[in-house]
């Protein structure tokens, strides 16, 4: 993940200062342990400033409103108490070439300062620290004790001290070409390393951008550069310093991340704020997605393993119960031939009532013929009762396995993060498993209001709309809320998969190509994705039912028609909208 370097911080700061000062602080919301949102209002606009001190994704930017979650964090509570009624009157770097911004608060512009909010964007050492006007620390996103750091403890009531000054020379526009070249080429090494070592304020992303603008490989050795190479690199260096001095930036997307200088941008960005917001939101969502998917996958795998063992145990008991009638038959034979029994017998061979075939009956030598027969009758009753008890347990276990396989099929479709809707769909699966008591409830669960349309969308060759559920919640919503009497419902036959809805305007009859298209979609979004073909049923929604008490995503149907879906066609021809 690309960190926010000094140049990027300058671009964010310059853009923010232009449009958002002064601003009244209206609200403070902490959505998780590493993110804070400040609601700011100016004379003509209102927005949210996100401050993030995540070790791998520390940043700040204007963003969308935070999710509505219970805010029980002490840090945000103290900020609300201390900054209530104040205005943000100034934002300034704490010192040159440091990634620390000082947000200054007062009653109104021109009044004495009341508080400082120091935002330190320094990788794993990132922090947000609130002080009073005398710079005494009131609270911090995370405090650092003297045992944790002898260099710079951060404790409530102590004076705020800036981070230790960085080593290295300060980049200057007036530095001569010869002196600049001497610093970089003093010891031959890769150009990337030699640019990073002697100067402060540089980052790997910035070095890549400067080298790309100069058409140089960052890994080339400095002793292999020609005079023309050095001149192009120096021109890039000067352009960078000029951009910092004039605060003119060109945000854009690169192959590996983003840039604010525009030199190696592949696609320009609308603004620096949207660029930073989208990049770090996506990266943090991707990280959450991977962690949550791993957790759900492990839980499903472990639960299904236990249920399969449980099912096998029930089946073994039913196999044993199948011998119940045999024990009763042996007891009947023994009672009918009591005269053939002699004391001390361990077995007796008697002719079957119907076939006349010899049947060997094991006996207890310590018991007589009647008590042996009674023991056989008791075993028959016990096995018969066991069969009656085990059969519903086996059915319930098989239904639970079928349900979890359906959940697992939905999880298989969410194999990687592409957009915010992917994380939302995964969180729906998590919430569903919480409701079904397979997982414990998370501490904070956002209330996703006005969420984007979560379904997969496709168009048939005739232009008809197809909706595909991404989890059991969405499947239920498609099948039992959205579907109308004119639509058609598709699902793979006896194979876990998504519910698919072919939307039809009233009076419209789908072409065979449309039906085949929908069947291909249903086969693709199922466990049969890697098969050459899979049976798919379709029916009118009025013939699709949810059994009473059934788990999410489970449905039964009648009056269905079977088609063979080709999942390979979807991969070759279709792209989701």
């Amino acid at each position: 993940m690309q960190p926010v370097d000094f140049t990027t911080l300058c671009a964010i700061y310059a853009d923010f200062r232009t449009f958002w000062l002064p601003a009244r602080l209206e609200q403070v919301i902490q959505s998780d342990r590493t993110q804070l949102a400040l609601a700011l209002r100016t004379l003509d606009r209102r927005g949210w400033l996100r401050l993030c001190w995540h070790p791998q994704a520390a940043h700040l930017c204007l963003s969308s409103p935070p999710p509505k979650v219970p805010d029980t964090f002490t840090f945000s509570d103290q900020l609300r108490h201390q900054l209530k009624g104040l205005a943000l009157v100034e934002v300034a770097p704490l010192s040159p070439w440091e990634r620390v911004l000082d947000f200054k608060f007062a009653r109104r512009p021109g009044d004495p300062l009341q508080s400082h909010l120091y935002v330190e964007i320094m990788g794993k050492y990132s922090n947000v620290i609130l002080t009073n006007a005398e710079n005494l620390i009131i609270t911090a996103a995370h405090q650092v004790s003297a045992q944790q750091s002898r260099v710079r403890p951060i404790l409530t009531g102590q004076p705020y001290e800036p981070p230790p000054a960085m080593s290295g020379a300060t980049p200057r526009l007036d530095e001569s070409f010869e002196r600049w070249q001497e610093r970089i080429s003093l010891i031959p090494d890769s150009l990337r390393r030699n640019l990073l070592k002697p100067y402060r304020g540089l980052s790997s992303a910035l070095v890549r951008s400067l080298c790309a603008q100069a058409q140089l490989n960052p890994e080339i050795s400095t002793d292999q550069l020609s005079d023309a190479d050095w001149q192009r690199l120096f021109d890039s260096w000067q352009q960078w310093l000029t951009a910092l001095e004039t605060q003119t930036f060109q945000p854009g997307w690169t192959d590996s991340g983003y840039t604010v200088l525009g030199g190696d941008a592949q696609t320009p960005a609308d603004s620096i704020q949207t660029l930073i917001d989208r990049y770090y939101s996506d990266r943090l969502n991707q990280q959450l997605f991977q962690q949550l998917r791993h957790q759900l996958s492990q839980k499903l795998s472990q639960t299904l393993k236990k249920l399969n063992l449980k099912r096998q145990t029930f089946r073994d008991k039913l196999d044993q119960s199948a011998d119940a009638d045999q024990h009763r038959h042996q007891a009947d034979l023994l009672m009918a031939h009591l005269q053939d029994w002699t004391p001390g017998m361990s077995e007796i061979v008697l002719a079957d009532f119907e076939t006349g075939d010899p049947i060997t009956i094991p006996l207890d030598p310590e018991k007589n013929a009647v008590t042996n027969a009674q023991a056989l009758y008791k075993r028959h009753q016990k096995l018969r009762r066991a069969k009656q008890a085990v059969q519903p347990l086996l059915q319930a276990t098989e239904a639970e396995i079928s349900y979890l396989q359906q959940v697992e099929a939905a999880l298989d479709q969410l194999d990687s993060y592409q957009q915010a809707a992917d994380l939302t769909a995964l969180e729906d699966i998590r919430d569903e498993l919480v409701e079904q008591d397979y997982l414990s409830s998370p501490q904070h669960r956002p209330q996703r209001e006005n969420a984007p349309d979560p379904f997969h969308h496709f168009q048939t060759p005739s232009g008809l709309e197809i909706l595909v559920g991404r989890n059991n919640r969405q499947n239920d919503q498609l099948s039992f809320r959205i579907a109308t009497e004119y639509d058609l419902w598709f699902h793979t036959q006896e194979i876990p998969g998504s519910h698919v809805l072919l939307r039809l305007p009233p009076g419209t009859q789908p072409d065979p190509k449309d039906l085949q298209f929908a069947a291909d979609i249903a086969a693709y979004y199922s466990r049969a994705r890697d098969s050459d073909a899979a049976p798919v049923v379709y029916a009118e929604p009025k013939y699709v039912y949810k059994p009473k008490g059934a788990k999410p995503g489970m449905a039964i149907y009648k009056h269905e028609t079977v088609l063979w879906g080709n999942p390979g066609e979807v991969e070759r021809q279709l792209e989701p909208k």
Side-chain angles (χ1 to χ4, degrees):
M1 194 181 301
Q2 182 174 331
V4 170
D5 58 13
F6 174 76
T7 304
T8 303
L9 189 63
C10 287
I12 298 170
Y13 152 70
D15 180 83
F16 180 82
R17 188 182 62 177
T18 302
F19 301 104
W20 289 90
L21 291 179
R24 178 69 59 184
L25 178 65
E26 293 188 330
Q27 202 172 357
V28 178
I29 295 179
Q30 187 169 351
S31 54
D32 58 41
R33 296 184 183 277
T34 63
Q35 291 194 82
L36 186 78
L38 307 180
L40 302 174
R41 182 182 291 278
T42 67
L43 292 176
D44 59 351
R45 66 187 69 193
R46 186 178 190 272
W48 291 87
L49 175 65
R50 184 172 69 220
L51 308 178
C52 177
W53 55 94
H54 190 284
Q56 287 85 41
H59 66 281
L60 72 156
C61 65
L62 293 166
S63 181
S64 55
K68 294 184 178 180
V69 298
D71 186 352
T72 58
F73 294 97
T74 304
F75 179 57
S76 57
D77 188 56
Q78 290 176 320
L79 288 182
R80 280 190 291 270
H81 177 71
Q82 296 292 332
L83 301 179
K84 182 179 180 181
L86 299 183
L88 177 61
V89 296
E90 186 180 352
V91 179
L94 184 62
S95 59
W97 299 98
E98 290 288 352
R99 287 181 291 168
V100 181
L101 293 179
D102 179 5
F103 287 71
K104 302 177 182 180
F105 291 86
R107 290 292 176 188
R108 57 182 60 84
D111 285 2
L113 295 179
Q114 300 285 324
S115 298
H116 297 263
L117 189 66
Y118 295 102
V119 181
E120 303 178 350
I121 307 298
M122 303 184 301
K124 64 180 180 179
Y125 301 109
S126 299
N127 208 340
V128 176
I129 303 169
L130 178 68
T131 73
N132 59 16
E134 291 74 33
N135 256 350
L136 294 179
I137 297 176
I138 298 174
T139 185
H142 59 85
Q143 298 195 30
V144 181
S145 66
Q147 288 76 21
Q148 292 173 303
S149 174
R150 292 177 294 179
V151 176
R152 188 177 176 243
I154 300 173
L155 297 171
T156 301
Q158 299 295 317
Y160 174 79
E161 295 182 2
M166 296 178 62
S167 60
T170 300
R172 301 195 326 271
L173 263 173
D174 59 356
E175 185 177 22
S176 67
F177 172 79
E178 292 75 15
R179 179 60 177 147
W180 170 83
Q181 183 181 16
E182 180 185 352
R183 289 184 191 273
I184 297 173
S185 61
L186 184 61
I187 301 175
D189 200 349
S190 71
L191 182 58
R192 178 180 60 84
R193 289 195 185 94
N194 279 8
L195 278 170
L196 287 171
K197 285 178 183 178
Y199 290 98
R200 61 174 63 180
L202 277 80
S203 67
S204 296
L206 175 62
V207 168
R208 284 196 302 270
S209 181
L210 295 176
C211 290
Q213 193 171 352
Q215 301 176 356
L216 294 172
N217 182 353
E219 300 304 324
I220 190 174
S221 178
T222 52
D223 57 2
Q224 296 179 4
L225 296 178
S226 65
D227 291 342
D229 293 335
W230 281 111
Q231 188 59 54
R232 289 199 309 274
L233 185 60
F234 185 68
D235 291 342
S236 297
W237 181 270
Q238 294 287 96
Q239 290 174 22
W240 165 56
L241 292 176
T242 301
L244 288 177
E245 185 173 284
T246 60
Q247 295 190 342
T248 54
F249 300 97
Q250 301 175 40
W253 298 98
T254 65
D255 290 336
S256 57
Y258 66 85
T259 181
V260 296
L261 298 177
D264 56 338
Q266 303 293 323
T267 307
D270 295 336
S271 72
I272 181 64
Q273 305 293 344
T274 56
L275 176 81
I276 298 300
D277 183 26
R278 178 181 162 190
Y279 179 82
Y280 289 102
S281 294
D282 282 349
R283 294 306 184 277
L284 287 173
N285 282 347
Q286 187 174 25
Q287 192 177 84
L288 289 173
F289 180 92
Q290 292 171 347
Q291 292 172 350
L292 182 55
R293 191 183 186 284
H294 178 71
Q295 176 193 0
L296 296 180
S297 179
Q298 274 198 328
K299 184 63 178 179
L300 286 174
S301 178
Q302 293 169 359
T303 306
L304 281 170
K305 184 177 180 180
K306 292 178 181 178
L307 287 173
N308 283 320
L309 288 174
K310 189 177 179 181
R311 177 172 62 181
Q312 189 58 48
T313 301
F314 288 149
R315 285 177 174 176
D316 292 342
K317 288 184 177 180
L318 282 181
D319 290 341
Q320 295 173 5
S321 300
D323 297 333
D325 291 338
Q326 178 184 349
H327 291 304
R328 186 185 62 180
H329 186 61
Q330 290 177 347
D332 290 342
L333 277 176
L334 188 56
M335 290 298 293
H337 297 84
L338 291 176
Q339 69 279 4
D340 295 333
W341 175 83
T342 57
M345 293 182 69
S346 60
E347 64 178 29
I348 186 171
V349 179
L350 300 173
D352 185 71
F353 289 130
E354 297 178 359
T355 64
D357 295 334
I359 294 178
T360 302
I361 303 173
L363 300 175
D364 184 348
E366 301 294 328
K367 299 177 181 179
N368 59 31
V370 174
T371 53
N372 270 292
Q374 289 174 344
L376 288 170
Y377 280 128
K378 287 181 180 180
R379 190 176 302 172
H380 159 71
Q381 293 293 336
K382 182 178 179 181
L383 291 175
R384 190 165 65 92
R385 287 194 300 268
K387 182 178 180 180
Q388 292 172 349
V390 167
Q391 277 182 332
L393 294 176
L394 177 61
Q395 291 173 356
T397 301
E398 287 179 335
E400 191 174 2
I401 290 173
S402 178
Y403 164 70
L404 289 179
Q405 286 176 339
Q406 178 77 11
V407 177
E408 198 173 42
L411 191 63
D412 289 342
Q413 306 302 329
L414 294 164
D415 55 348
S416 63
Y417 177 86
Q418 301 295 332
Q419 54 186 336
D422 296 334
L423 180 59
T424 301
L426 200 62
E427 289 173 337
D428 281 342
I429 295 177
R430 188 268 316 277
D431 293 344
E432 178 187 336
L433 293 177
V434 169
E435 290 175 359
Q436 298 300 321
D437 293 328
Y438 290 103
L439 287 174
S440 58
S441 178
Q443 185 177 4
H444 299 292
R445 286 161 64 183
Q447 301 173 6
R448 294 185 293 272
E449 297 182 0
N450 301 322
D453 185 358
F455 307 109
H456 286 306
H457 287 251
F458 296 91
Q459 274 193 344
T460 69
S462 299
L464 299 175
E465 184 182 21
I466 290 179
L467 302 181
V468 183
R470 295 159 64 93
N471 53 51
N472 283 333
R473 282 186 170 184
Q474 294 180 19
N475 288 338
D476 281 353
Q477 189 176 358
L478 274 183
S479 302
F480 307 113
R481 294 185 184 179
I482 294 179
T484 69
E485 58 182 312
Y486 307 107
D487 299 331
L488 287 177
W489 180 88
F490 289 75
H491 194 279
T492 43
Q493 188 177 37
E494 298 183 1
I495 300 173
S498 297
H499 295 200
V500 176
L501 198 63
L502 175 60
R503 310 305 306 276
L504 296 174
T508 302
Q509 291 295 324
D511 292 337
K513 288 183 179 180
D514 297 330
L515 296 176
Q516 185 61 52
F517 193 86
D520 293 343
I521 293 288
Y524 181 76
Y525 286 100
S526 76
R527 278 284 181 86
R529 173 178 288 192
D530 297 326
S531 304
D532 293 334
V536 175
V537 298
Y538 70 90
E540 296 178 29
K542 65 181 179 180
Y543 296 126
V544 181
Y545 311 93
K546 190 172 187 64
K548 185 177 181 180
K551 293 182 180 294
M554 308 306 290
I556 56 176
Y557 49 83
K558 62 181 181 180
H559 301 307
E560 73 276 9
T561 304
V562 180
L563 284 177
W564 283 90
N566 185 353
E569 289 296 321
V570 177
E571 198 161 4
R572 287 191 292 268
Q573 299 180 15
L574 294 179
E575 289 291 338
K577 288 184 181 179

